[in-house]
Amino acid sequence: MDDDETFDEAAYDGQDADADLLEEELRRAAGILDPVPPQLRQIAVEAYALHDLDARIAELTFDSVVDAIPVRGATDVPRMLTFRAGEVTVDVEVTEEGLMGQVLPPQKALVEVLSGPQTGAPLTTDDMGRFTYGGSPAGPFALRLRTGREAIVTDWLTV
């Protein structure tokens, strides 16, 4: 097909069964040749099973990797993330040295860095809602915040 031609989906309706068979065959091949590591599967199951059922999910609203314009020549720039759940916003800066963040509006909260089956020691925000975590999370991580009224869990991200 040339670049000038458009894709005609109606012309391929009779080949849906072939496409489904091909997809299934590719899934089986991937399962044999490149299976999901058991440790990763276990972490995923535990992360899902242990999440707070009553926690509100904080949606990722800003990620500097996706939403920011890169600065020419800058290296080792921190990754900036913003999560929102209702009226609560959590701004996080991820560097090689660790995490720094702030809960807005400023309030006292317990913050846990989730990165697998074990959670780190809970961090307490200061009066301005700020917190620091002295270690950059390896692999997927999320944050769980417990304010006086509610629990909030961020989306899982890999840095």
Side-chain angles (χ1 to χ4, degrees):
M1 182 160 61
D2 295 332
D3 290 339
D4 296 338
E5 294 179 24
T6 59
F7 179 74
D8 183 14
E9 189 175 57
Y12 291 95
D13 284 343
Q15 296 179 1
D16 285 343
D18 292 339
D20 291 342
L21 286 172
L22 177 61
E23 181 180 354
E24 182 58 34
E25 188 173 333
L26 289 172
R27 284 184 191 278
R28 278 187 272 147
I32 293 168
L33 298 174
D34 189 21
V36 175
Q39 296 163 319
L40 184 59
R41 184 182 304 274
Q42 184 65 29
I43 288 172
V45 168
E46 290 173 355
Y48 181 75
L50 297 177
H51 74 284
D52 291 317
L53 295 177
D54 61 341
R56 293 175 51 194
I57 303 297
E59 175 187 6
L60 180 64
T61 58
F62 177 82
D63 184 347
S64 62
V65 171
V66 178
D67 301 320
I69 299 172
V71 176
R72 187 176 14 186
T75 59
D76 297 328
V77 295
R79 185 170 180 183
M80 307 299 291
L81 305 165
T82 300
F83 300 94
R84 179 179 275 293
E87 299 298 318
V88 177
T89 301
V90 182
D91 291 322
V92 180
E93 179 178 314
V94 182
T95 65
E96 290 181 8
E97 290 81 34
L99 302 174
M100 292 185 292
Q102 184 174 20
V103 179
L104 297 169
Q107 57 189 294
K108 288 283 191 180
L110 290 176
V111 179
E112 296 173 86
V113 179
L114 309 174
S115 60
Q118 296 89 6
T119 59
L123 310 166
T124 305
T125 60
D126 63 11
D127 291 335
M128 298 293 292
R130 298 174 298 198
F131 62 92
T132 58
Y133 176 73
S136 187
F141 81 98
L143 299 175
R144 178 184 300 139
L145 290 83
R146 296 184 190 278
T147 64
R149 293 171 263 147
E150 61 187 341
I152 298 171
V153 178
T154 66
D155 290 333
W156 285 81
L157 291 172
T158 301
V159 289

